[in-house]
Every structure is written in C-alpha cells, then in structure tokens.
Amino acid sequence: GAGQEGEEEEEEALQDDVSTGAAYGDLEKLHRLVELEGRSVAEPDALGYHALQWAALNNRVAAAQYILEAWLPTILLGA
C-alpha cells in the first residue's frame, strides 16, 4: 500500500549518507555525497559514530583512505 512506499523512501533516504557509504565501502556514494553534495565526513551519524569508524569496523580500506584524505584539511586546520 501507500504506507509501505513512504517507509521505503524514508529508509532509502536514511541510507543515503556518508556513514552508510563508508560501512559498505561504496566509494561512488562517498564521492557523490562529499564532493557533489558537500556532505561532511567529520560529522557523526545519528548513532554518534563517524564515517571513518564505520569504514574501519567493516574493513573498508579504500573508503577509510578516502575519508582520511577528505578529512585531512579539517584535521590540519583544527576546524
């Protein structure tokens, strides 16, 4: 029914974030969110975890490397 469609859209929206991209090693999603949509890799998710933590927890080395490179200017500037 219509209620299911709304729930599916909401679930999909929740999954379209940097933490989910990091957890699944989805570099395409990470690139799109960070570079095109301006999302931050430094912001924790709703559970309080950072994208780097999700990447490391799930052994997503390429995602962790991308996040570190994207986050590096923030770390160096202390912002």
Side-chain angles (χ1 to χ4, degrees):
Q4 281 183 323
E5 288 176 21
E7 288 174 17
E8 288 173 12
E9 287 175 13
E10 186 175 311
E11 249 180 62
E12 189 173 312
L14 288 173
Q15 294 175 353
D16 195 31
D17 61 22
V18 175
S19 291
T20 303
Y24 287 94
D26 189 339
L27 292 177
E28 186 177 316
K29 177 182 281 191
L30 286 172
H31 283 280
R32 177 176 53 82
L33 293 172
V34 173
E35 295 171 23
L36 300 178
E37 296 184 18
R39 305 271 186 97
S40 172
V41 294
E43 295 294 319
D45 64 10
L47 298 174
Y49 298 106
H50 292 89
L52 183 58
Q53 289 174 285
W54 284 114
L57 178 67
N58 291 287
N59 200 30
R60 307 295 186 182
V61 176
Q65 182 176 350
Y66 173 78
I67 291 163
L68 286 170
E69 290 170 359
W71 205 352
L72 193 59
T74 305
I75 295 169
L76 293 177
L77 297 174

